Amino acid sequence: MNIVYCRWYSSRLTLGELVVSDSIWISGGTRTGKTTRLVTLFRQWVEAGWGRSRQLSSPIVRKKRRDRYQTPALLILAANADNRRELTDRLTTTLQGRYPVRCQTPLGFFQDEVILFWPLLIQRLNLRAQFPLRLRPETEQDLAMQLWRPQLESGLIQIPGTNESVRVRRLLDLLQLAALSGTRIEEIPRILEQGVVELEATPDQWELIGKLLLDWRRWCLDKGLLTYSLICDLYWREMLADSTYQQYLTQRYRAILADDVDEYPAIARDLFDLLLDDQGIVGAFTYNPQGQVRLGLNADPDYLSGLSSRCQVESLPPHPNDSLADGLSPMAVDLLNDPMVLSDLPESLQSLQTTSRAQLLRLTAEVIVEAVKSGQVEPGDIAIIAPGLDAIARYTLTDILTKQGIPIEPLNEQRPLISSPLIQALLTLLTLVYPGLGRLVDREAIAQMLVVLSRPPEPVATAEADSPLPNPHIDPVRAGLLADYCYSPDPESPRLLPVEAFARWDRLGHRATTAYTQIQQWLEGQREQQQQRLIPSCVVILDRAIQKFLWNGSNLPYDQISALRELMETAQHYWEVDGRLRKIPANTTDEEIARGGTPPQATISQFIQLLRRGTVTANSFPVRRLSATANSAVTLATIFQYRAARGYHRWHFWLDAGSHLWSQGGAATLFAAPLFLKDWFGQPWTEADKIKADEERLQRILQDLLGRVRDRLYLCHSDLSVNGTEQTGPLLTLVHSSIELTAQSVSH
């Protein structure tokens, strides 16, 4: 271990060879023990008494808190929510629960601080005295689209995007990039004018973008609404500059432990610098040069690396010993830089090559099935990683492996909520309860709703966690007949008629007739209560429908429970925001989005259309299932998801190895993101700069992923992509240099 002493302070507390008053910078490659070293420092600092807060200046506070453990005096941060949970578990275990561990993400910390010190911000910005309400991203986009609609329809906004929703999202991303990089909103037009070369926009058009963002910021503050970008802007721009808040920080915290700071935004370093400037506060930071997963997505790793000059630097090995990176990584990087290099690649690197992608998916699944059935590897030791997972690949691999008795688990799957039949059925049900929503429903949606809502409950005692649901009482054929003859379409009041409206209703059967009658009568009852104003919001209708038709003592699969929970969370949040906007009188500048005079069905219509645009994904809390199958199944993930989750497996299958998306890391960089990095010097971001950044990112991806596989790596390549075009990605050199595994060898 190489330790370089770069800075010394006076007053030190020595623990063996550890000097507590010196900050520590732990740098190393993937899986080389950085977090383990951080956990060790945590235990040593707490046992040395650095877990207690210093006495606060208020005599009342000193009297109440003297000689006691106060709120945790260690600021503990992790890169994302999954890493936060894992780090919390490790820190809690190392001291056997003797110290209260509160680990946060940087964005979570900023949010808590802004809400805690909201009265201070009210005073500084002269805001209306009301408790802040945080907007979810989908609600933020919906409200911003309504506020900016006149400018969007004018065509003056020069932002790339295939539709209005994409352009609005990119405008909001600019606000987030500026806030997390410590850039004033007023400077955004100048930055875009200097750095963006692919758009031919006039200075007035860039200024219009800045005006829209300032209008959005002003509108949110006036309504007491907070977005992630606004939270970060307020924290960096207002709170860190306030002497009262600075005094609070230095009195509360005595040490910082930050894991994977290469994933942190630039304003996190501003916070760290402020704390480290106090002589009594030290820090411990881990940094992975091969990481930087969120570069281009609000992270600024180079700026954070400047903290190393204030610390003792501990350099860990660049590669772990129990991975393919130790011997394969240098050769892989050499082949990328110079395809003419002759390298003798090891047998642990093999390739699967086919002509079409359909053949590749089947061959990949067959190799996995053969390896598992022959006992070479367990399903939980296999990971399939791709730059992007389309529905065809996901379905094909899942179908083949599941039929062979091999479980497969998507990692943090982010599918639109509206793709779930349960969600579609519940939204259709809303159109039959509230008036004026008839244009949002058709006969096909009615038939689907009847099928979904007529499933009989499955007893919990006999159902497995992921067992298929029993057959519905109303099959698709009968549902189609009922939709044709018993559904009365109407723009204002669509409804289901009694089953006798179908002349041959006796041919439906007892089960289908009974199930339909229950649905029809339940809807009539809810409609009557709604007309009598006995239902406060549609959230109540959704909850009643779930309890009546979907739950009802049954055991739903995990993915369906996750979708239903996300629907309820989204609906509750949407109506909470709607209630906030209704309490505020409209004015001449924002009449289009002040909902004080709009009827409830208008809000419901907007909510249904929001979900149908596919903006919301099923990512409710908890995001991880608690069953044992999660650790005994084949992992299916994108590059970004797998690296962010810090995965590790014995075998890797890199799908679509010939795709050019490998250079992008499986995640699209936000528009104009390089212009908001601290090392950008005002020069235009050219195509050459983009190519260089992609090459550097690809090298980091290779080194990082090779450090996360232990025994074997398969490069899965098809000559043609899913849309039939030839694949000529940057990994083709590795594919052609590796040992090819043919379909005949797999079958034998």
Side-chain angles (χ1 to χ4, degrees), residues 426 541-552 556 564 567-568:
L426 291 173
I541 296 292
L542 293 174
D543 181 68
R544 291 177 180 177
I546 293 172
Q547 297 293 334
K548 174 70 175 178
F549 301 109
L550 302 179
W551 188 255
N552 197 20
L556 295 175
L564 292 175
L567 173 66
M568 296 304 295

Side-chain angles (χ1 to χ4, degrees), residues 62-132:
R62 289 202 303 267
K63 181 178 179 181
K64 290 183 177 180
R65 296 185 177 181
R66 185 177 297 133
D67 299 327
R68 293 193 309 172
Y69 272 103
Q70 303 165 12
T71 56
L74 300 179
L75 176 58
I76 306 173
L77 299 175
N80 54 52
D82 288 336
N83 301 149
R84 177 183 60 81
R85 284 189 289 268
E86 295 174 3
L87 182 59
T88 300
D89 293 341
R90 295 184 63 175
L91 296 178
T92 303
T93 302
T94 190
L95 286 179
Q96 300 178 351
R98 291 183 284 115
Y99 183 81
V101 175
R102 189 187 183 197
C103 183
Q104 299 171 282
T105 63
L107 291 181
F109 174 78
F110 300 151
Q111 174 180 299
D112 291 347
E113 297 296 284
V114 167
I115 293 177
L116 180 62
F117 285 87
W118 187 249
L120 177 65
L121 293 172
I122 290 177
Q123 182 179 1
R124 284 182 61 93
L125 301 176
N126 194 24
L127 302 177
R128 185 179 303 173
Q130 54 186 337
F131 194 79

Side-chain angles (χ1 to χ4, degrees), residues 308-490:
S308 60
S309 62
R310 310 188 60 158
C311 309
Q312 303 175 21
V313 178
E314 297 186 5
S315 298
L316 300 179
H319 307 294
N321 296 327
D322 58 343
S323 72
L324 298 182
D326 195 19
L328 186 56
S329 181
M331 290 185 288
V333 172
D334 289 341
L335 279 173
L336 286 180
N337 295 330
D338 187 1
M340 302 304 295
V341 173
L342 298 178
S343 298
D344 188 12
L345 297 177
E347 295 184 0
S348 56
L349 175 63
Q350 300 183 18
S351 63
L352 304 176
Q353 303 183 41
T354 62
T355 302
S356 69
R357 193 166 184 266
Q359 295 172 332
L360 177 67
L361 295 175
R362 181 164 297 277
L363 179 59
T364 302
E366 290 174 354
V367 172
I368 294 175
V369 171
E370 178 63 26
V372 171
K373 291 187 177 298
S374 63
Q376 300 180 57
V377 66
E378 295 294 328
D381 295 328
I382 299 176
I384 304 174
I385 306 171
L389 282 173
D390 57 281
I392 296 176
R394 186 183 295 107
Y395 174 80
T396 302
L397 294 172
T398 302
D399 182 65
I400 296 176
L401 295 180
T402 303
K403 287 181 178 179
Q404 295 295 326
I406 300 175
I408 182 170
E409 180 70 22
L411 182 63
N412 295 335
E413 185 178 15
Q414 295 183 340
R415 302 178 67 181
L417 196 59
I418 194 62
S419 64
S420 170
L422 272 66
I423 306 304
Q424 298 174 21
L426 291 173
L427 296 183
T428 301
L429 183 142
L430 289 180
T431 63
L432 300 178
V433 174
Y434 288 88
L437 303 178
R439 292 182 175 85
L440 299 178
V441 65
D442 53 24
R443 296 184 186 275
E444 288 75 13
I446 294 294
Q448 181 191 43
M449 181 194 72
L450 295 176
V451 173
V452 172
L453 299 185
S454 66
R455 293 187 184 274
E458 184 178 7
V460 177
T462 60
E464 297 181 0
D466 291 318
S467 60
L469 294 176
N471 293 327
H473 289 324
I474 304 178
D475 60 76
V477 175
R478 290 177 171 83
L481 291 173
L482 289 168
D484 289 337
Y485 293 97
C486 296
Y487 167 59
S488 175
D490 186 88

Side-chain angles (χ1 to χ4, degrees), residues 288-310:
N288 183 6
Q290 302 167 5
Q292 306 182 25
V293 180
R294 297 194 60 83
L295 179 61
L297 299 171
N298 299 315
D300 197 340
D302 289 341
Y303 185 59
L304 267 295
S305 66
L307 284 171
S308 60
S309 62
R310 310 188 60 158

Side-chain angles (χ1 to χ4, degrees), residues 246-264:
Q246 292 177 3
Q247 183 182 10
Y248 161 80
L249 277 180
T250 55
Q251 289 177 340
R252 177 180 177 184
Y253 295 112
R254 300 188 66 185
I256 313 163
L257 291 101
D259 198 19
D260 297 314
V261 296
D262 49 286
E263 312 296 347
Y264 290 14

Side-chain angles (χ1 to χ4, degrees), residues 412-415 417 562 566 569 617-623:
N412 295 335
E413 185 178 15
Q414 295 183 340
R415 302 178 67 181
L417 196 59
S562 178
E566 181 64 27
E569 292 174 9
T617 58
N619 290 325
S620 59
F621 182 85
V623 295

Side-chain angles (χ1 to χ4, degrees), residues 177-231:
L177 286 168
L180 289 168
S181 64
T183 304
R184 296 174 61 87
I185 301 177
E186 293 82 356
E187 298 179 10
I188 292 179
R190 177 187 59 81
I191 292 175
L192 296 178
E193 184 178 0
Q194 292 179 355
V196 177
V197 295
E198 66 269 22
L199 297 179
E200 296 181 358
T202 63
D204 291 340
Q205 290 174 325
W206 294 128
E207 290 295 334
L208 176 61
I209 291 177
K211 180 181 181 301
L212 293 180
L213 296 178
L214 285 173
D215 290 344
W216 171 249
R217 181 182 189 272
R218 189 180 306 110
W219 183 85
C220 287
L221 290 177
D222 182 61
K223 304 298 186 288
L225 302 176
L226 293 178
T227 66
Y228 277 127
S229 56
L230 189 54
I231 286 171

